[in-house]
Amino acid sequence: MPHPLTVRPQSLNSKSRRTVLKAGGALLISVLAPGAAQAAQILAVRVWPADDYTRVTLENDSDLKTTHFTVKNPERLVVDIEGIELNPALKELVAKIQSNDPYIKQVRVGQNRPNVVRLVFDLKEEVNPQVFTLQPVGNYKHRLVFDLYPTNPPDPIAALIEKGDWSKESPRDIPQPAPDFKPVPRPDTRADQPPAMAEGDKNNSKSPAPPAMTRLITIALDPGHGGEDPGATGRGGSREKDVVLSIAKRLKAKIEQQPNMRVMLTRDGDYFVPLPVRVQKARAVQADLFMSIHADAFVESSARGSSVFALSDKGASSTAARWLANKENSADLIGGVNIKNHDKQLASVLLDLSTTAQISDSLKLGKVVLGEIGGINRLHKGAVEQAGFAVLKAPDIPSILIETAFISNPEEEAKLTDDDYQDKMADAVLRGIKKYFAKNPPLSKNKLT
């Protein structure tokens, strides 16, 4: 007698036989080709080289498991990606490494063993690699990210001095400030020490006293978004990250033509900078002002006009301001932050230390800048708005966020991509900066620790 759980094929009806045959066929396929149906597909590869770091992103249709290690002499980073086969999209990575990449010399891609692809990055110098994954967000699917940071990053103030043309002049050679703003003397001014005299002047006892040394005013300009985070996109295809970088560079050039001013850009190319890092960069160079530059977007294409925002410690000044702050604060999710290494403690400290004085100064700055912008474009709101923007939370730097226009409005998108409008916007912001300092001269300050 057969076992009670044994079922003979003859006893099955035709429908049951088909079900059993299908199940057996599926089991046979899975035994013969394990993982074939589950192999992940690389959909796109992107490379974002910058002086700060180089980012390599692999976008794929599922979460990937990786292992990595570095090798010395010569410097290399080796990454093994499990569960994938080499495909044309992944092979494109080789051609995407540029010769001027600061950190990657070249990359080699190969099938190391079945279901494992190996990437070997030949490096130009020693790096501190961060390898992490990002869950789907916005228009992106799963992402595997390699951030290659230099082991010995440059000093931010040294880099600022190196990039400025004025650095070739001695402090006494700096031109005197324009009449409408008066910087205060440096705390280390030594008025009793005359400048070195030329050979023919050594016997001239009536040499005039040297002009008082004035301290440089440092302005941090923050072009929003960048790299993996394109920001808003207009109907014509214009991307916010490109427009605001162009405006920021124009403004930087105009500011550096002013006496006693220098500029630090939080990014000077197409790469992503996390929101807290933007604040850190401004504080590292002891910035006197922080200005984040954006190009707004809204679900209705009819929305138009320029705006200026400051930080609020009492909630948003309007529903629209709260909505915009939430959207801008999500930039780290889109751009991609390594959560394990994200300095949450620093972010909370910056939040807690935001002071009433900082907000008061920010509102003063915002008011004069908004007034100047109103001369070249319609204003979306006639007053400075406030909300909890993460990028404005430097506790000791007056900080504003400028929405130059609505990129989602076809007319304003055309303006934002126009050289003349970008120039006028930069001029307007500069006038606002000069008016602010005319009434609020920068204080002497010691180096931050």
Side-chain angles (χ1 to χ4, degrees):
M1 176 179 291
H3 191 277
L5 294 181
T6 301
V7 181
R8 296 180 181 276
Q10 290 87 344
S11 64
L12 297 172
N13 58 34
S14 60
K15 182 177 180 180
S16 298
R17 278 200 301 272
R18 286 197 300 271
T19 302
V20 170
L21 289 172
K22 285 181 180 178
L27 178 63
L28 180 62
I29 291 171
S30 66
V31 170
L32 293 177
Q38 298 178 355
Q41 288 293 314
I42 301 298
L43 305 174
V45 296
R46 295 180 290 275
V47 181
W48 309 100
D51 289 342
D52 291 24
Y53 72 110
T54 290
R55 167 170 287 192
V56 177
T57 304
L58 308 185
E59 189 175 359
N60 44 281
D61 59 3
S62 63
D63 205 359
L64 296 178
K65 183 179 178 182
T66 67
T67 56
H68 71 277
F69 56 92
T70 56
V71 183
K72 311 290 289 182
N73 300 320
E75 296 287 341
R76 284 156 288 165
L77 170 66
V78 181
V79 182
D80 286 340
I81 309 173
E82 299 180 20
I84 65 170
E85 299 291 328
L86 196 58
N87 71 348
L90 191 51
K91 290 178 181 177
E92 289 179 9
L93 180 59
V94 176
K96 291 200 173 184
I97 302 301
Q98 302 172 19
S99 60
N100 62 348
D101 189 298
Y103 304 110
I104 303 176
K105 187 182 299 181
Q106 64 176 3
V107 63
R108 290 170 279 148
V109 182
Q111 194 76 46
N112 184 252
R113 53 188 186 275
N115 286 333
V116 176
V117 167
R118 170 165 287 187
L119 310 181
V120 179
F121 294 93
D122 296 317
L123 305 171
K124 295 181 178 179
E125 64 177 77
E126 186 179 359
V127 301
N128 175 24
Q130 294 185 14
V131 181
F132 56 98
T133 58
L134 296 169
Q135 295 302 305
V137 63
N139 295 324
Y140 292 121
K141 296 188 181 298
H142 293 268
R143 284 175 289 172
L144 174 61
V145 179
F146 313 103
D147 284 348
L148 308 183
Y149 289 91
T151 302
N152 299 304
D155 175 79
I157 293 184
L160 183 64
I161 292 172
E162 184 180 349
K163 290 181 180 179
D165 293 337
W166 45 262
S167 66
K168 298 169 186 175
E169 303 169 332
S170 70
R172 296 186 181 90
D173 292 330
I174 297 173
Q176 287 302 296
D180 60 346
F181 102 105
K182 301 174 182 178
V184 299
R186 272 186 171 293
D188 59 348
T189 297
R190 295 288 302 278
D192 58 332
Q193 291 189 5
M197 291 184 289
E199 190 66 31
D201 294 334
K202 286 185 177 180
N203 296 322
N204 186 356
S205 59
K206 295 183 181 180
S207 297
M213 189 187 300
T214 54
R215 84 166 175 85
L216 288 165
I217 291 175
T218 303
I219 298 171
L221 297 180
D222 174 49
H225 310 282
E228 289 287 288
D229 175 21
T233 302
R235 287 187 177 183
S238 306
R239 301 180 301 185
E240 181 180 8
K241 67 175 183 177
D242 301 326
V243 167
V244 298
L245 180 60
S246 179
I247 293 173
K249 285 184 173 180
R250 290 173 189 269
L251 178 54
K252 177 179 185 290
K254 293 176 184 294
I255 292 173
E256 287 180 336
Q257 291 173 4
Q258 306 304 307
N260 305 321
M261 286 191 185
R262 63 182 178 182
V263 181
M264 184 275 297
L265 291 176
T266 58
R267 69 176 180 95
D268 56 6
D270 188 10
Y271 59 97
F272 173 70
V273 182
L275 298 176
V277 175
R278 295 170 188 260
V279 179
Q280 287 180 54
K281 285 187 166 192
R283 299 191 77 212
V285 298
Q286 303 178 61
D288 296 287
L289 294 181
F290 179 92
M291 312 179 88
S292 193
I293 302 172
H294 293 257
D296 210 349
F298 195 64
V299 289
E300 298 290 339
S301 62
S302 58
R304 61 182 299 170
S306 303
S307 307
V308 174
F309 296 84
L311 183 65
S312 171
D313 58 355
K314 298 177 182 177
S317 57
S318 69
T319 302
R322 183 184 301 109
W323 178 84
L324 180 64
N326 290 336
K327 183 168 71 72
E328 297 296 356
N329 291 347
S330 68
D332 280 357
L333 297 176
I334 305 292
V337 171
N338 185 358
I339 299 299
K340 292 181 180 178
N341 291 289
H342 199 36
D343 197 344
K344 294 181 180 178
Q345 184 177 7
L346 172 65
S348 65
V349 167
L350 293 179
L351 172 69
D352 296 338
L353 289 181
S354 295
T355 64
T356 303
Q358 186 261 23
I359 293 175
S360 175
D361 288 340
S362 300
L363 288 170
K364 292 175 186 175
L365 171 64
K367 184 177 180 180
V368 291
V369 170
L370 187 68
E372 293 300 325
I373 291 176
I376 66 161
N377 193 34
R378 172 180 173 177
L379 296 180
H380 186 66
K381 286 288 180 70
V384 179
E385 294 214 72
Q386 293 179 260
F389 291 89
V391 79
L392 301 183
K393 291 180 178 177
D396 45 5
I397 307 172
S399 304
I400 60 172
L401 185 145
I402 303 169
E403 293 286 0
T404 52
F406 277 86
I407 201 169
S408 53
N409 180 300
E411 287 182 26
E412 294 206 332
E413 180 186 9
K415 283 185 177 181
L416 287 167
T417 54
D418 179 70
D419 289 345
D420 186 54
Y421 180 81
Q422 290 189 3
D423 235 23
K424 288 179 178 177
M425 178 61 65
D427 283 332
V429 175
L430 175 58
R431 288 194 300 271
I433 292 172
K434 292 171 72 174
K435 283 188 176 181
Y436 171 79
F437 279 125
K439 293 184 178 180
N440 305 276
L443 300 175
S444 301
K445 57 185 177 182
N446 297 321
K447 185 174 181 180
L448 295 173
T449 55

